[in-house]
Structure formats: structure tokens, C-alpha cells
Amino acid sequence: MRKRPFDIEEAMPRLRKAVAPYPKAALFELAAEGHTSVFEILAACILSIRTRDETSLPVARALFAQARTPAELAALPVEQIDRLIQGCAFHEAKARTIRDIARRTVQEHGGVLPCDRDVLLSFHGVGPKCANLTLGIVCGLPLIGVDIHVHRVANRWGYVRTTTPEKTMTALQEKLPRPYRIEINALLVPFGKHVCTGTRPKCSTCPLMEMCRQVGVASHR
Ligand code: SF4
């Protein structure tokens, strides 16, 4: 097939349609359910690290059913937080991280986390992915949350050519139009899970086939 240049303006509506049948990415789903504070989405992002959405989403809901504000979470013993989140990978470390963030939020920020990237990155256990996703989803800041799906798919398109999610974040920050910077994660997580999968991507039925360079896809399926 003769390929056209990759056109992000054309790709976005096709992506929206392609992922419509699938569940939303966990953080966007939680926000749609009303978990719209910086603290909640940051805590949910920490829970999601190295943990599938199918696990981290119900765990986040269960945690927030017990305590959803920094003050409420800071008042819980770390062992109780650990029990609530034990379905997640690294739950002991995550329980300590979330409780520390809750305590510092109460002590240093009057109980409410601000829309401030430097503040979020000052917490042990919070990296650029979670800081950007949280500030994009909750605060509307045009920051790109790059996880393994965004990294893999954007490279397969040939839209970026990078070797790590961190480098992809930098490349997309320079290239991706601002209106798409928050939405790209919401689209590429389900697209990467169901269409442009890690192994055996569904290229033959993919709506982006005519413009995707299929970089690194075995024998151009
Ligand atoms: S054509 Fe294949 S490699 Fe390209 S986006 Fe679609 S599924 Fe992924």
C-alpha cells in the first residue's frame, strides 16, 4: 500500500471512533466519575504504575470510598491503606507514597494540592508521567502523559522516533498540537490495548493503515 504522510489532524477523529467501543483509560474514567481533585488523580496514577487498569481502577474506587481527601487519607494508618490497595503491584511502597503525599498536602498546602508541576514532582514516587497526566486531566494544562502505549504507538506511526517514553514526551511536547496534548493519552491507551497492541497489532483493519509507517512492526502485518 502506498503510504501518505502521517496527518495528526486526520488521525485524531479516526482514533476517537476506533476507541469508542472500549473502556476509557483508568484516570479519565475516574475523572468522569467525579474524582476530580489533583490529589485523587495523582494517587490513582501512582496506583496504576506497573498495574493493569482492570486492577487499579476498582482499587482506586475502593480506596476513595474509604478516604478521598488528603486529610482523610493522612488520618489512616499506612497498614490500612496497604490493605485497601494490595491488589496493586508494589502496594507497600505505594501506600507509603500516597500517605506521605496526603500528609505533606495537609501540612504544606492547606489540604489541597495545587496545579503546580514542581510541587507534584517534589514528592518521592511521582514522575513526569503522573505529574503531566494529573495536571492535564484535572487542571487542563497542555502536558502530555506518556506511558508505554503512547510511546509505542507514536513511534510505530513514525510520528516520533525515540527510544524511551521520556524522550517521546519531549518530542511530542514539541510536535503535537496543544489541543491534543491531554486527549492523546485518553486515545492511545485504549488504542494501544485493543488495536495497536504490543504483539500482533491489528494493522489490516486499522483506520490509520494508509498513513502509518508501521515502524518496527514485524513484516508489516
Ligand atoms: S497500522 Fe498497525 S502499527 Fe500502525 S497504528 Fe495501526 S495497528 Fe498500529
Side-chain angles (χ1 to χ4, degrees), residues 11-49:
M12 292 298 281
R14 293 185 189 197
L15 285 166
R16 289 183 196 116
K17 195 170 168 196
V19 304
Y22 303 115
K24 283 189 176 78
L27 300 187
F28 291 88
E29 175 60 31
L30 286 166
E33 292 173 9
H35 297 289
T36 51
S37 71
V38 173
F39 177 75
E40 284 172 297
I41 297 301
L42 184 65
C45 190
I46 291 164
L47 293 175
S48 76
I49 295 169

PDB file of all heavy atoms in Angstrom, residues 11-49:
ATOM      1  N   ALA A  11      -5.808  11.858  11.851  1.00  0.00           N
ATOM      2  CA  ALA A  11      -5.728  10.677  12.723  1.00  0.00           C
ATOM      3  C   ALA A  11      -6.625  10.815  13.955  1.00  0.00           C
ATOM      4  O   ALA A  11      -7.233   9.826  14.386  1.00  0.00           O
ATOM      5  CB  ALA A  11      -4.273  10.461  13.161  1.00  0.00           C
ATOM      6  N   MET A  12      -6.747  12.011  14.516  1.00  0.00           N
ATOM      7  CA  MET A  12      -7.475  12.163  15.789  1.00  0.00           C
ATOM      8  C   MET A  12      -8.939  11.726  15.683  1.00  0.00           C
ATOM      9  O   MET A  12      -9.389  10.919  16.509  1.00  0.00           O
ATOM     10  CB  MET A  12      -7.356  13.602  16.311  1.00  0.00           C
ATOM     11  CG  MET A  12      -5.952  13.983  16.762  1.00  0.00           C
ATOM     12  SD  MET A  12      -5.304  12.997  18.143  1.00  0.00           S
ATOM     13  CE  MET A  12      -6.127  13.756  19.533  1.00  0.00           C
ATOM     14  N   PRO A  13      -9.716  12.215  14.699  1.00  0.00           N
ATOM     15  CA  PRO A  13     -11.100  11.731  14.640  1.00  0.00           C
ATOM     16  C   PRO A  13     -11.185  10.226  14.384  1.00  0.00           C
ATOM     17  O   PRO A  13     -12.088   9.553  14.901  1.00  0.00           O
ATOM     18  CB  PRO A  13     -11.721  12.531  13.493  1.00  0.00           C
ATOM     19  CG  PRO A  13     -10.625  13.279  12.827  1.00  0.00           C
ATOM     20  CD  PRO A  13      -9.460  13.301  13.743  1.00  0.00           C
ATOM     21  N   ARG A  14     -10.234   9.692  13.624  1.00  0.00           N
ATOM     22  CA  ARG A  14     -10.250   8.239  13.386  1.00  0.00           C
ATOM     23  C   ARG A  14      -9.967   7.474  14.682  1.00  0.00           C
ATOM     24  O   ARG A  14     -10.549   6.423  14.947  1.00  0.00           O
ATOM     25  CB  ARG A  14      -9.216   7.862  12.321  1.00  0.00           C
ATOM     26  CG  ARG A  14      -9.552   8.402  10.957  1.00  0.00           C
ATOM     27  CD  ARG A  14      -8.569   7.914   9.928  1.00  0.00           C
ATOM     28  NE  ARG A  14      -8.742   8.591   8.652  1.00  0.00           N
ATOM     29  CZ  ARG A  14      -8.263   8.162   7.501  1.00  0.00           C
ATOM     30  NH1 ARG A  14      -7.553   7.054   7.460  1.00  0.00           N
ATOM     31  NH2 ARG A  14      -8.455   8.834   6.388  1.00  0.00           N
ATOM     32  N   LEU A  15      -9.042   8.010  15.477  1.00  0.00           N
ATOM     33  CA  LEU A  15      -8.732   7.378  16.760  1.00  0.00           C
ATOM     34  C   LEU A  15      -9.945   7.425  17.700  1.00  0.00           C
ATOM     35  O   LEU A  15     -10.252   6.442  18.375  1.00  0.00           O
ATOM     36  CB  LEU A  15      -7.550   8.088  17.426  1.00  0.00           C
ATOM     37  CG  LEU A  15      -6.170   7.797  16.835  1.00  0.00           C
ATOM     38  CD1 LEU A  15      -5.151   8.801  17.350  1.00  0.00           C
ATOM     39  CD2 LEU A  15      -5.733   6.374  17.171  1.00  0.00           C
ATOM     40  N   ARG A  16     -10.613   8.581  17.725  1.00  0.00           N
ATOM     41  CA  ARG A  16     -11.798   8.706  18.606  1.00  0.00           C
ATOM     42  C   ARG A  16     -12.829   7.636  18.258  1.00  0.00           C
ATOM     43  O   ARG A  16     -13.405   7.005  19.139  1.00  0.00           O
ATOM     44  CB  ARG A  16     -12.419  10.103  18.460  1.00  0.00           C
ATOM     45  CG  ARG A  16     -11.586  11.202  19.061  1.00  0.00           C
ATOM     46  CD  ARG A  16     -12.285  12.566  18.948  1.00  0.00           C
ATOM     47  NE  ARG A  16     -11.319  13.620  19.184  1.00  0.00           N
ATOM     48  CZ  ARG A  16     -10.950  14.533  18.273  1.00  0.00           C
ATOM     49  NH1 ARG A  16     -11.511  14.567  17.090  1.00  0.00           N
ATOM     50  NH2 ARG A  16     -10.025  15.438  18.581  1.00  0.00           N
ATOM     51  N   LYS A  17     -13.030   7.455  16.966  1.00  0.00           N
ATOM     52  CA  LYS A  17     -14.020   6.453  16.531  1.00  0.00           C
ATOM     53  C   LYS A  17     -13.532   5.038  16.858  1.00  0.00           C
ATOM     54  O   LYS A  17     -14.296   4.187  17.313  1.00  0.00           O
ATOM     55  CB  LYS A  17     -14.230   6.606  15.018  1.00  0.00           C
ATOM     56  CG  LYS A  17     -15.437   5.911  14.495  1.00  0.00           C
ATOM     57  CD  LYS A  17     -15.703   6.317  13.052  1.00  0.00           C
ATOM     58  CE  LYS A  17     -16.728   5.394  12.434  1.00  0.00           C
ATOM     59  NZ  LYS A  17     -16.758   5.491  10.980  1.00  0.00           N
ATOM     60  N   ALA A  18     -12.237   4.792  16.653  1.00  0.00           N
ATOM     61  CA  ALA A  18     -11.695   3.441  16.871  1.00  0.00           C
ATOM     62  C   ALA A  18     -11.789   3.006  18.329  1.00  0.00           C
ATOM     63  O   ALA A  18     -11.990   1.824  18.609  1.00  0.00           O
ATOM     64  CB  ALA A  18     -10.235   3.393  16.395  1.00  0.00           C
ATOM     65  N   VAL A  19     -11.647   3.941  19.261  1.00  0.00           N
ATOM     66  CA  VAL A  19     -11.631   3.538  20.675  1.00  0.00           C
ATOM     67  C   VAL A  19     -12.997   3.674  21.348  1.00  0.00           C
ATOM     68  O   VAL A  19     -13.157   3.272  22.502  1.00  0.00           O
ATOM     69  CB  VAL A  19     -10.572   4.322  21.500  1.00  0.00           C
ATOM     70  CG1 VAL A  19      -9.200   4.150  20.885  1.00  0.00           C
ATOM     71  CG2 VAL A  19     -10.938   5.782  21.660  1.00  0.00           C
ATOM     72  N   ALA A  20     -13.970   4.216  20.621  1.00  0.00           N
ATOM     73  CA  ALA A  20     -15.295   4.440  21.226  1.00  0.00           C
ATOM     74  C   ALA A  20     -15.889   3.177  21.873  1.00  0.00           C
ATOM     75  O   ALA A  20     -16.514   3.276  22.931  1.00  0.00           O
ATOM     76  CB  ALA A  20     -16.244   5.019  20.184  1.00  0.00           C
ATOM     77  N   PRO A  21     -15.686   1.979  21.289  1.00  0.00           N
ATOM     78  CA  PRO A  21     -16.308   0.796  21.918  1.00  0.00           C
ATOM     79  C   PRO A  21     -15.601   0.334  23.193  1.00  0.00           C
ATOM     80  O   PRO A  21     -16.132  -0.524  23.897  1.00  0.00           O
ATOM     81  CB  PRO A  21     -16.169  -0.304  20.843  1.00  0.00           C
ATOM     82  CG  PRO A  21     -15.715   0.376  19.600  1.00  0.00           C
ATOM     83  CD  PRO A  21     -15.038   1.622  20.009  1.00  0.00           C
ATOM     84  N   TYR A  22     -14.426   0.843  23.487  1.00  0.00           N
ATOM     85  CA  TYR A  22     -13.620   0.288  24.578  1.00  0.00           C
ATOM     86  C   TYR A  22     -13.702   1.144  25.844  1.00  0.00           C
ATOM     87  O   TYR A  22     -13.990   2.339  25.771  1.00  0.00           O
ATOM     88  CB  TYR A  22     -12.158   0.166  24.131  1.00  0.00           C
ATOM     89  CG  TYR A  22     -12.001  -0.673  22.890  1.00  0.00           C
ATOM     90  CD1 TYR A  22     -11.543  -0.124  21.702  1.00  0.00           C
ATOM     91  CD2 TYR A  22     -12.349  -2.021  22.913  1.00  0.00           C
ATOM     92  CE1 TYR A  22     -11.421  -0.895  20.551  1.00  0.00           C
ATOM     93  CE2 TYR A  22     -12.230  -2.800  21.768  1.00  0.00           C
ATOM     94  CZ  TYR A  22     -11.773  -2.235  20.595  1.00  0.00           C
ATOM     95  OH  TYR A  22     -11.677  -2.997  19.477  1.00  0.00           O
ATOM     96  N   PRO A  23     -13.407   0.535  27.003  1.00  0.00           N
ATOM     97  CA  PRO A  23     -13.415   1.307  28.257  1.00  0.00           C
ATOM     98  C   PRO A  23     -12.396   2.444  28.199  1.00  0.00           C
ATOM     99  O   PRO A  23     -11.356   2.327  27.556  1.00  0.00           O
ATOM    100  CB  PRO A  23     -13.004   0.273  29.324  1.00  0.00           C
ATOM    101  CG  PRO A  23     -13.241  -1.054  28.701  1.00  0.00           C
ATOM    102  CD  PRO A  23     -13.073  -0.891  27.229  1.00  0.00           C
ATOM    103  N   LYS A  24     -12.735   3.534  28.892  1.00  0.00           N
ATOM    104  CA  LYS A  24     -11.794   4.655  28.986  1.00  0.00           C
ATOM    105  C   LYS A  24     -10.551   4.237  29.774  1.00  0.00           C
ATOM    106  O   LYS A  24     -10.611   3.344  30.616  1.00  0.00           O
ATOM    107  CB  LYS A  24     -12.432   5.798  29.784  1.00  0.00           C
ATOM    108  CG  LYS A  24     -13.458   6.643  29.058  1.00  0.00           C
ATOM    109  CD  LYS A  24     -13.770   7.844  29.975  1.00  0.00           C
ATOM    110  CE  LYS A  24     -14.714   8.825  29.335  1.00  0.00           C
ATOM    111  NZ  LYS A  24     -16.109   8.410  29.358  1.00  0.00           N
ATOM    112  N   ALA A  25      -9.436   4.920  29.529  1.00  0.00           N
ATOM    113  CA  ALA A  25      -8.251   4.747  30.372  1.00  0.00           C
ATOM    114  C   ALA A  25      -8.640   5.098  31.813  1.00  0.00           C
ATOM    115  O   ALA A  25      -9.475   5.982  32.048  1.00  0.00           O
ATOM    116  CB  ALA A  25      -7.133   5.659  29.884  1.00  0.00           C
ATOM    117  N   ALA A  26      -8.027   4.406  32.780  1.00  0.00           N
ATOM    118  CA  ALA A  26      -8.499   4.450  34.172  1.00  0.00           C
ATOM    119  C   ALA A  26      -8.608   5.870  34.737  1.00  0.00           C
ATOM    120  O   ALA A  26      -9.607   6.216  35.371  1.00  0.00           O
ATOM    121  CB  ALA A  26      -7.564   3.607  35.050  1.00  0.00           C
ATOM    122  N   LEU A  27      -7.613   6.704  34.518  1.00  0.00           N
ATOM    123  CA  LEU A  27      -7.644   8.033  35.141  1.00  0.00           C
ATOM    124  C   LEU A  27      -8.751   8.904  34.549  1.00  0.00           C
ATOM    125  O   LEU A  27      -9.384   9.689  35.257  1.00  0.00           O
ATOM    126  CB  LEU A  27      -6.292   8.735  34.997  1.00  0.00           C
ATOM    127  CG  LEU A  27      -5.092   8.023  35.619  1.00  0.00           C
ATOM    128  CD1 LEU A  27      -3.860   8.912  35.551  1.00  0.00           C
ATOM    129  CD2 LEU A  27      -5.365   7.614  37.055  1.00  0.00           C
ATOM    130  N   PHE A  28      -8.974   8.767  33.255  1.00  0.00           N
ATOM    131  CA  PHE A  28     -10.049   9.523  32.608  1.00  0.00           C
ATOM    132  C   PHE A  28     -11.409   9.006  33.081  1.00  0.00           C
ATOM    133  O   PHE A  28     -12.353   9.780  33.258  1.00  0.00           O
ATOM    134  CB  PHE A  28      -9.908   9.431  31.081  1.00  0.00           C
ATOM    135  CG  PHE A  28      -8.709  10.175  30.555  1.00  0.00           C
ATOM    136  CD1 PHE A  28      -7.473   9.549  30.477  1.00  0.00           C
ATOM    137  CD2 PHE A  28      -8.802  11.504  30.167  1.00  0.00           C
ATOM    138  CE1 PHE A  28      -6.346  10.222  30.008  1.00  0.00           C
ATOM    139  CE2 PHE A  28      -7.686  12.194  29.699  1.00  0.00           C
ATOM    140  CZ  PHE A  28      -6.454  11.553  29.618  1.00  0.00           C
ATOM    141  N   GLU A  29     -11.501   7.697  33.310  1.00  0.00           N
ATOM    142  CA  GLU A  29     -12.747   7.121  33.820  1.00  0.00           C
ATOM    143  C   GLU A  29     -13.025   7.643  35.236  1.00  0.00           C
ATOM    144  O   GLU A  29     -14.144   8.034  35.563  1.00  0.00           O
ATOM    145  CB  GLU A  29     -12.650   5.588  33.822  1.00  0.00           C
ATOM    146  CG  GLU A  29     -13.833   4.863  34.436  1.00  0.00           C
ATOM    147  CD  GLU A  29     -15.156   5.155  33.735  1.00  0.00           C
ATOM    148  OE1 GLU A  29     -15.135   5.388  32.520  1.00  0.00           O
ATOM    149  OE2 GLU A  29     -16.204   5.164  34.424  1.00  0.00           O
ATOM    150  N   LEU A  30     -12.007   7.660  36.083  1.00  0.00           N
ATOM    151  CA  LEU A  30     -12.199   8.156  37.452  1.00  0.00           C
ATOM    152  C   LEU A  30     -12.630   9.623  37.448  1.00  0.00           C
ATOM    153  O   LEU A  30     -13.505  10.027  38.213  1.00  0.00           O
ATOM    154  CB  LEU A  30     -10.903   7.993  38.261  1.00  0.00           C
ATOM    155  CG  LEU A  30     -10.583   6.559  38.690  1.00  0.00           C
ATOM    156  CD1 LEU A  30      -9.143   6.454  39.165  1.00  0.00           C
ATOM    157  CD2 LEU A  30     -11.541   6.094  39.788  1.00  0.00           C
ATOM    158  N   ALA A  31     -12.007  10.414  36.570  1.00  0.00           N
ATOM    159  CA  ALA A  31     -12.383  11.832  36.487  1.00  0.00           C
ATOM    160  C   ALA A  31     -13.840  11.953  36.050  1.00  0.00           C
ATOM    161  O   ALA A  31     -14.598  12.772  36.593  1.00  0.00           O
ATOM    162  CB  ALA A  31     -11.457  12.565  35.517  1.00  0.00           C
ATOM    163  N   ALA A  32     -14.256  11.091  35.089  1.00  0.00           N
ATOM    164  CA  ALA A  32     -15.646  11.129  34.619  1.00  0.00           C
ATOM    165  C   ALA A  32     -16.609  10.733  35.735  1.00  0.00           C
ATOM    166  O   ALA A  32     -17.767  11.149  35.750  1.00  0.00           O
ATOM    167  CB  ALA A  32     -15.813  10.200  33.412  1.00  0.00           C
ATOM    168  N   GLU A  33     -16.122   9.934  36.681  1.00  0.00           N
ATOM    169  CA  GLU A  33     -16.965   9.514  37.803  1.00  0.00           C
ATOM    170  C   GLU A  33     -16.995  10.548  38.924  1.00  0.00           C
ATOM    171  O   GLU A  33     -17.635  10.337  39.951  1.00  0.00           O
ATOM    172  CB  GLU A  33     -16.452   8.174  38.353  1.00  0.00           C
ATOM    173  CG  GLU A  33     -16.651   7.014  37.387  1.00  0.00           C
ATOM    174  CD  GLU A  33     -15.983   5.724  37.859  1.00  0.00           C
ATOM    175  OE1 GLU A  33     -15.507   5.672  39.015  1.00  0.00           O
ATOM    176  OE2 GLU A  33     -15.921   4.779  37.050  1.00  0.00           O
ATOM    177  N   GLY A  34     -16.249  11.638  38.756  1.00  0.00           N
ATOM    178  CA  GLY A  34     -16.301  12.712  39.750  1.00  0.00           C
ATOM    179  C   GLY A  34     -15.082  12.831  40.637  1.00  0.00           C
ATOM    180  O   GLY A  34     -15.052  13.655  41.560  1.00  0.00           O
ATOM    181  N   HIS A  35     -14.071  12.019  40.386  1.00  0.00           N
ATOM    182  CA  HIS A  35     -12.826  12.128  41.169  1.00  0.00           C
ATOM    183  C   HIS A  35     -11.944  13.167  40.477  1.00  0.00           C
ATOM    184  O   HIS A  35     -11.077  12.833  39.666  1.00  0.00           O
ATOM    185  CB  HIS A  35     -12.138  10.767  41.250  1.00  0.00           C
ATOM    186  CG  HIS A  35     -12.965   9.752  41.969  1.00  0.00           C
ATOM    187  ND1 HIS A  35     -13.170   9.795  43.327  1.00  0.00           N
ATOM    188  CD2 HIS A  35     -13.683   8.698  41.509  1.00  0.00           C
ATOM    189  CE1 HIS A  35     -13.961   8.791  43.692  1.00  0.00           C
ATOM    190  NE2 HIS A  35     -14.283   8.120  42.600  1.00  0.00           N
ATOM    191  N   THR A  36     -12.171  14.404  40.801  1.00  0.00           N
ATOM    192  CA  THR A  36     -11.600  15.490  40.004  1.00  0.00           C
ATOM    193  C   THR A  36     -10.619  16.369  40.782  1.00  0.00           C
ATOM    194  O   THR A  36     -10.343  17.484  40.360  1.00  0.00           O
ATOM    195  CB  THR A  36     -12.724  16.380  39.433  1.00  0.00           C
ATOM    196  OG1 THR A  36     -13.582  16.762  40.504  1.00  0.00           O
ATOM    197  CG2 THR A  36     -13.532  15.628  38.384  1.00  0.00           C
ATOM    198  N   SER A  37     -10.109  15.884  41.900  1.00  0.00           N
ATOM    199  CA  SER A  37      -9.085  16.674  42.590  1.00  0.00           C
ATOM    200  C   SER A  37      -7.697  16.226  42.133  1.00  0.00           C
ATOM    201  O   SER A  37      -7.509  15.081  41.698  1.00  0.00           O
ATOM    202  CB  SER A  37      -9.198  16.515  44.112  1.00  0.00           C
ATOM    203  OG  SER A  37      -8.781  15.224  44.499  1.00  0.00           O
ATOM    204  N   VAL A  38      -6.742  17.150  42.250  1.00  0.00           N
ATOM    205  CA  VAL A  38      -5.350  16.817  41.907  1.00  0.00           C
ATOM    206  C   VAL A  38      -4.903  15.619  42.744  1.00  0.00           C
ATOM    207  O   VAL A  38      -4.278  14.681  42.231  1.00  0.00           O
ATOM    208  CB  VAL A  38      -4.426  18.039  42.152  1.00  0.00           C
ATOM    209  CG1 VAL A  38      -2.961  17.652  41.978  1.00  0.00           C
ATOM    210  CG2 VAL A  38      -4.807  19.181  41.208  1.00  0.00           C
ATOM    211  N   PHE A  39      -5.255  15.632  44.016  1.00  0.00           N
ATOM    212  CA  PHE A  39      -4.810  14.551  44.898  1.00  0.00           C
ATOM    213  C   PHE A  39      -5.361  13.195  44.451  1.00  0.00           C
ATOM    214  O   PHE A  39      -4.623  12.204  44.398  1.00  0.00           O
ATOM    215  CB  PHE A  39      -5.235  14.838  46.346  1.00  0.00           C
ATOM    216  CG  PHE A  39      -4.863  13.738  47.288  1.00  0.00           C
ATOM    217  CD1 PHE A  39      -3.549  13.570  47.698  1.00  0.00           C
ATOM    218  CD2 PHE A  39      -5.817  12.836  47.738  1.00  0.00           C
ATOM    219  CE1 PHE A  39      -3.186  12.531  48.545  1.00  0.00           C
ATOM    220  CE2 PHE A  39      -5.475  11.802  48.586  1.00  0.00           C
ATOM    221  CZ  PHE A  39      -4.161  11.649  48.994  1.00  0.00           C
ATOM    222  N   GLU A  40      -6.641  13.147  44.149  1.00  0.00           N
ATOM    223  CA  GLU A  40      -7.232  11.855  43.757  1.00  0.00           C
ATOM    224  C   GLU A  40      -6.602  11.305  42.476  1.00  0.00           C
ATOM    225  O   GLU A  40      -6.265  10.113  42.405  1.00  0.00           O
ATOM    226  CB  GLU A  40      -8.741  12.008  43.538  1.00  0.00           C
ATOM    227  CG  GLU A  40      -9.538  12.104  44.815  1.00  0.00           C
ATOM    228  CD  GLU A  40     -10.988  12.443  44.526  1.00  0.00           C
ATOM    229  OE1 GLU A  40     -11.250  13.540  43.980  1.00  0.00           O
ATOM    230  OE2 GLU A  40     -11.858  11.622  44.845  1.00  0.00           O
ATOM    231  N   ILE A  41      -6.460  12.139  41.463  1.00  0.00           N
ATOM    232  CA  ILE A  41      -5.926  11.621  40.191  1.00  0.00           C
ATOM    233  C   ILE A  41      -4.438  11.283  40.334  1.00  0.00           C
ATOM    234  O   ILE A  41      -3.964  10.296  39.770  1.00  0.00           O
ATOM    235  CB  ILE A  41      -6.186  12.630  39.049  1.00  0.00           C
ATOM    236  CG1 ILE A  41      -7.700  12.791  38.849  1.00  0.00           C
ATOM    237  CG2 ILE A  41      -5.538  12.156  37.752  1.00  0.00           C
ATOM    238  CD1 ILE A  41      -8.452  11.504  38.491  1.00  0.00           C
ATOM    239  N   LEU A  42      -3.721  12.056  41.131  1.00  0.00           N
ATOM    240  CA  LEU A  42      -2.311  11.719  41.364  1.00  0.00           C
ATOM    241  C   LEU A  42      -2.205  10.374  42.094  1.00  0.00           C
ATOM    242  O   LEU A  42      -1.394   9.508  41.724  1.00  0.00           O
ATOM    243  CB  LEU A  42      -1.625  12.830  42.167  1.00  0.00           C
ATOM    244  CG  LEU A  42      -0.129  12.633  42.382  1.00  0.00           C
ATOM    245  CD1 LEU A  42       0.638  12.675  41.063  1.00  0.00           C
ATOM    246  CD2 LEU A  42       0.424  13.692  43.340  1.00  0.00           C
ATOM    247  N   ALA A  43      -3.020  10.192  43.141  1.00  0.00           N
ATOM    248  CA  ALA A  43      -2.983   8.926  43.887  1.00  0.00           C
ATOM    249  C   ALA A  43      -3.371   7.764  42.964  1.00  0.00           C
ATOM    250  O   ALA A  43      -2.743   6.694  42.989  1.00  0.00           O
ATOM    251  CB  ALA A  43      -3.933   8.996  45.082  1.00  0.00           C
ATOM    252  N   ALA A  44      -4.386   7.976  42.127  1.00  0.00           N
ATOM    253  CA  ALA A  44      -4.813   6.908  41.209  1.00  0.00           C
ATOM    254  C   ALA A  44      -3.712   6.585  40.208  1.00  0.00           C
ATOM    255  O   ALA A  44      -3.532   5.427  39.825  1.00  0.00           O
ATOM    256  CB  ALA A  44      -6.091   7.331  40.489  1.00  0.00           C
ATOM    257  N   CYS A  45      -2.986   7.602  39.774  1.00  0.00           N
ATOM    258  CA  CYS A  45      -1.891   7.357  38.830  1.00  0.00           C
ATOM    259  C   CYS A  45      -0.786   6.539  39.499  1.00  0.00           C
ATOM    260  O   CYS A  45      -0.241   5.617  38.897  1.00  0.00           O
ATOM    261  CB  CYS A  45      -1.340   8.691  38.304  1.00  0.00           C
ATOM    262  SG  CYS A  45      -0.192   8.440  36.922  1.00  0.00           S
ATOM    263  N   ILE A  46      -0.498   6.841  40.752  1.00  0.00           N
ATOM    264  CA  ILE A  46       0.506   6.056  41.479  1.00  0.00           C
ATOM    265  C   ILE A  46       0.040   4.596  41.584  1.00  0.00           C
ATOM    266  O   ILE A  46       0.818   3.661  41.372  1.00  0.00           O
ATOM    267  CB  ILE A  46       0.749   6.676  42.879  1.00  0.00           C
ATOM    268  CG1 ILE A  46       1.455   8.025  42.712  1.00  0.00           C
ATOM    269  CG2 ILE A  46       1.552   5.728  43.770  1.00  0.00           C
ATOM    270  CD1 ILE A  46       1.418   8.902  43.937  1.00  0.00           C
ATOM    271  N   LEU A  47      -1.240   4.403  41.887  1.00  0.00           N
ATOM    272  CA  LEU A  47      -1.773   3.034  41.970  1.00  0.00           C
ATOM    273  C   LEU A  47      -1.626   2.290  40.644  1.00  0.00           C
ATOM    274  O   LEU A  47      -1.445   1.078  40.606  1.00  0.00           O
ATOM    275  CB  LEU A  47      -3.254   3.063  42.374  1.00  0.00           C
ATOM    276  CG  LEU A  47      -3.559   3.546  43.787  1.00  0.00           C
ATOM    277  CD1 LEU A  47      -5.069   3.628  43.989  1.00  0.00           C
ATOM    278  CD2 LEU A  47      -2.930   2.633  44.838  1.00  0.00           C
ATOM    279  N   SER A  48      -1.695   3.038  39.529  1.00  0.00           N
ATOM    280  CA  SER A  48      -1.701   2.394  38.201  1.00  0.00           C
ATOM    281  C   SER A  48      -0.310   1.993  37.717  1.00  0.00           C
ATOM    282  O   SER A  48      -0.191   1.261  36.733  1.00  0.00           O
ATOM    283  CB  SER A  48      -2.331   3.338  37.172  1.00  0.00           C
ATOM    284  OG  SER A  48      -1.427   4.379  36.821  1.00  0.00           O
ATOM    285  N   ILE A  49       0.744   2.448  38.406  1.00  0.00           N
ATOM    286  CA  ILE A  49       2.097   2.139  37.935  1.00  0.00           C
ATOM    287  C   ILE A  49       2.334   0.626  37.980  1.00  0.00           C
ATOM    288  O   ILE A  49       2.095  -0.022  39.000  1.00  0.00           O
ATOM    289  CB  ILE A  49       3.149   2.889  38.798  1.00  0.00           C
ATOM    290  CG1 ILE A  49       2.998   4.397  38.598  1.00  0.00           C
ATOM    291  CG2 ILE A  49       4.565   2.428  38.447  1.00  0.00           C
ATOM    292  CD1 ILE A  49       3.809   5.244  39.589  1.00  0.00           C
TER     293      ILE A  49
END
